[in-house]
PDB file of all heavy atoms in Angstrom:
ATOM      1  N   SER A   4     -19.642   3.295  12.491  1.00 97.00           N
ATOM      2  CA  SER A   4     -18.302   2.757  12.725  1.00 97.00           C
ATOM      3  C   SER A   4     -17.977   1.667  11.713  1.00 97.00           C
ATOM      4  O   SER A   4     -18.870   1.008  11.176  1.00 97.00           O
ATOM      5  CB  SER A   4     -18.216   2.156  14.128  1.00 97.00           C
ATOM      6  OG  SER A   4     -18.298   3.148  15.110  1.00 97.00           O
ATOM      7  N   ILE A   5     -16.691   1.483  11.488  1.00 98.00           N
ATOM      8  CA  ILE A   5     -16.173   0.388  10.676  1.00 98.00           C
ATOM      9  C   ILE A   5     -15.543  -0.601  11.657  1.00 98.00           C
ATOM     10  O   ILE A   5     -14.770  -0.200  12.535  1.00 98.00           O
ATOM     11  CB  ILE A   5     -15.117   0.884   9.670  1.00 98.00           C
ATOM     12  CG1 ILE A   5     -15.734   1.878   8.681  1.00 98.00           C
ATOM     13  CG2 ILE A   5     -14.473  -0.302   8.941  1.00 98.00           C
ATOM     14  CD1 ILE A   5     -14.709   2.587   7.813  1.00 98.00           C
ATOM     15  N   PHE A   6     -15.873  -1.870  11.492  1.00 98.00           N
ATOM     16  CA  PHE A   6     -15.312  -2.899  12.376  1.00 98.00           C
ATOM     17  C   PHE A   6     -14.395  -3.809  11.580  1.00 98.00           C
ATOM     18  O   PHE A   6     -14.710  -4.201  10.457  1.00 98.00           O
ATOM     19  CB  PHE A   6     -16.440  -3.728  13.005  1.00 98.00           C
ATOM     20  CG  PHE A   6     -17.274  -2.942  13.978  1.00 98.00           C
ATOM     21  CD1 PHE A   6     -18.409  -2.273  13.555  1.00 98.00           C
ATOM     22  CD2 PHE A   6     -16.911  -2.867  15.311  1.00 98.00           C
ATOM     23  CE1 PHE A   6     -19.178  -1.529  14.445  1.00 98.00           C
ATOM     24  CE2 PHE A   6     -17.666  -2.132  16.222  1.00 98.00           C
ATOM     25  CZ  PHE A   6     -18.806  -1.460  15.778  1.00 98.00           C
ATOM     26  N   THR A   7     -13.251  -4.124  12.170  1.00 98.00           N
ATOM     27  CA  THR A   7     -12.314  -5.098  11.626  1.00 98.00           C
ATOM     28  C   THR A   7     -12.168  -6.164  12.713  1.00 98.00           C
ATOM     29  O   THR A   7     -12.726  -6.011  13.800  1.00 98.00           O
ATOM     30  CB  THR A   7     -10.957  -4.450  11.306  1.00 98.00           C
ATOM     31  OG1 THR A   7     -10.300  -4.119  12.535  1.00 98.00           O
ATOM     32  CG2 THR A   7     -11.104  -3.214  10.427  1.00 98.00           C
ATOM     33  N   PRO A   8     -11.395  -7.211  12.467  1.00 97.00           N
ATOM     34  CA  PRO A   8     -11.253  -8.232  13.510  1.00 97.00           C
ATOM     35  C   PRO A   8     -10.793  -7.678  14.867  1.00 97.00           C
ATOM     36  O   PRO A   8     -11.252  -8.134  15.905  1.00 97.00           O
ATOM     37  CB  PRO A   8     -10.228  -9.200  12.928  1.00 97.00           C
ATOM     38  CG  PRO A   8     -10.457  -9.101  11.448  1.00 97.00           C
ATOM     39  CD  PRO A   8     -10.766  -7.638  11.212  1.00 97.00           C
ATOM     40  N   ARG A   9      -9.910  -6.670  14.858  1.00 98.00           N
ATOM     41  CA  ARG A   9      -9.367  -6.187  16.132  1.00 98.00           C
ATOM     42  C   ARG A   9      -9.725  -4.740  16.461  1.00 98.00           C
ATOM     43  O   ARG A   9      -9.444  -4.274  17.563  1.00 98.00           O
ATOM     44  CB  ARG A   9      -7.839  -6.306  16.125  1.00 98.00           C
ATOM     45  CG  ARG A   9      -7.345  -7.725  15.918  1.00 98.00           C
ATOM     46  CD  ARG A   9      -5.844  -7.827  15.973  1.00 98.00           C
ATOM     47  NE  ARG A   9      -5.214  -7.036  14.909  1.00 98.00           N
ATOM     48  CZ  ARG A   9      -3.956  -6.634  14.924  1.00 98.00           C
ATOM     49  NH1 ARG A   9      -3.176  -6.941  15.943  1.00 98.00           N
ATOM     50  NH2 ARG A   9      -3.453  -5.927  13.938  1.00 98.00           N
ATOM     51  N   LEU A  10     -10.328  -4.038  15.519  1.00 98.00           N
ATOM     52  CA  LEU A  10     -10.508  -2.601  15.668  1.00 98.00           C
ATOM     53  C   LEU A  10     -11.947  -2.151  15.435  1.00 98.00           C
ATOM     54  O   LEU A  10     -12.708  -2.803  14.730  1.00 98.00           O
ATOM     55  CB  LEU A  10      -9.627  -1.850  14.656  1.00 98.00           C
ATOM     56  CG  LEU A  10      -8.148  -2.168  14.635  1.00 98.00           C
ATOM     57  CD1 LEU A  10      -7.477  -1.443  13.483  1.00 98.00           C
ATOM     58  CD2 LEU A  10      -7.507  -1.805  15.956  1.00 98.00           C
ATOM     59  N   GLN A  11     -12.242  -0.999  16.000  1.00 98.00           N
ATOM     60  CA  GLN A  11     -13.438  -0.241  15.657  1.00 98.00           C
ATOM     61  C   GLN A  11     -12.948   1.138  15.240  1.00 98.00           C
ATOM     62  O   GLN A  11     -12.191   1.781  15.983  1.00 98.00           O
ATOM     63  CB  GLN A  11     -14.387  -0.121  16.849  1.00 98.00           C
ATOM     64  CG  GLN A  11     -15.621   0.709  16.536  1.00 98.00           C
ATOM     65  CD  GLN A  11     -16.557   0.868  17.735  1.00 98.00           C
ATOM     66  OE1 GLN A  11     -16.246   0.445  18.844  1.00 98.00           O
ATOM     67  NE2 GLN A  11     -17.692   1.481  17.506  1.00 98.00           N
ATOM     68  N   LEU A  12     -13.336   1.576  14.055  1.00 98.00           N
ATOM     69  CA  LEU A  12     -13.000   2.914  13.578  1.00 98.00           C
ATOM     70  C   LEU A  12     -14.257   3.763  13.699  1.00 98.00           C
ATOM     71  O   LEU A  12     -15.272   3.467  13.072  1.00 98.00           O
ATOM     72  CB  LEU A  12     -12.528   2.880  12.124  1.00 98.00           C
ATOM     73  CG  LEU A  12     -11.373   1.938  11.798  1.00 98.00           C
ATOM     74  CD1 LEU A  12     -11.018   2.016  10.320  1.00 98.00           C
ATOM     75  CD2 LEU A  12     -10.167   2.242  12.668  1.00 98.00           C
ATOM     76  N   ILE A  13     -14.175   4.806  14.530  1.00 98.00           N
ATOM     77  CA  ILE A  13     -15.334   5.645  14.812  1.00 98.00           C
ATOM     78  C   ILE A  13     -15.150   7.000  14.138  1.00 98.00           C
ATOM     79  O   ILE A  13     -14.205   7.737  14.462  1.00 98.00           O
ATOM     80  CB  ILE A  13     -15.504   5.854  16.330  1.00 98.00           C
ATOM     81  CG1 ILE A  13     -15.641   4.520  17.052  1.00 98.00           C
ATOM     82  CG2 ILE A  13     -16.706   6.759  16.614  1.00 98.00           C
ATOM     83  CD1 ILE A  13     -15.604   4.636  18.571  1.00 98.00           C
ATOM     84  N   PRO A  14     -16.050   7.365  13.192  1.00 98.00           N
ATOM     85  CA  PRO A  14     -15.953   8.694  12.590  1.00 98.00           C
ATOM     86  C   PRO A  14     -16.430   9.733  13.608  1.00 98.00           C
ATOM     87  O   PRO A  14     -17.575   9.706  14.045  1.00 98.00           O
ATOM     88  CB  PRO A  14     -16.887   8.605  11.378  1.00 98.00           C
ATOM     89  CG  PRO A  14     -17.907   7.581  11.773  1.00 98.00           C
ATOM     90  CD  PRO A  14     -17.194   6.617  12.679  1.00 98.00           C
ATOM     91  N   LEU A  15     -15.556  10.626  14.002  1.00 97.00           N
ATOM     92  CA  LEU A  15     -15.888  11.592  15.035  1.00 97.00           C
ATOM     93  C   LEU A  15     -16.652  12.781  14.455  1.00 97.00           C
ATOM     94  O   LEU A  15     -16.228  13.368  13.458  1.00 97.00           O
ATOM     95  CB  LEU A  15     -14.616  12.075  15.733  1.00 97.00           C
ATOM     96  CG  LEU A  15     -13.777  10.977  16.399  1.00 97.00           C
ATOM     97  CD1 LEU A  15     -12.526  11.572  17.024  1.00 97.00           C
ATOM     98  CD2 LEU A  15     -14.590  10.208  17.427  1.00 97.00           C
ATOM     99  N   ASN A  16     -17.768  13.117  15.093  1.00 96.00           N
ATOM    100  CA  ASN A  16     -18.511  14.295  14.655  1.00 96.00           C
ATOM    101  C   ASN A  16     -17.843  15.549  15.219  1.00 96.00           C
ATOM    102  O   ASN A  16     -16.871  15.463  15.987  1.00 96.00           O
ATOM    103  CB  ASN A  16     -19.990  14.189  15.049  1.00 96.00           C
ATOM    104  CG  ASN A  16     -20.204  14.143  16.547  1.00 96.00           C
ATOM    105  OD1 ASN A  16     -19.523  14.814  17.315  1.00 96.00           O
ATOM    106  ND2 ASN A  16     -21.171  13.330  16.970  1.00 96.00           N
TER     107      ASN A  16
END
Side-chain angles (χ1 to χ4, degrees):
S4 292
I5 297 170
F6 292 91
T7 70
R9 301 182 298 160
L10 306 174
Q11 178 182 6
L12 306 180
I13 302 171
L15 301 178
N16 63 38

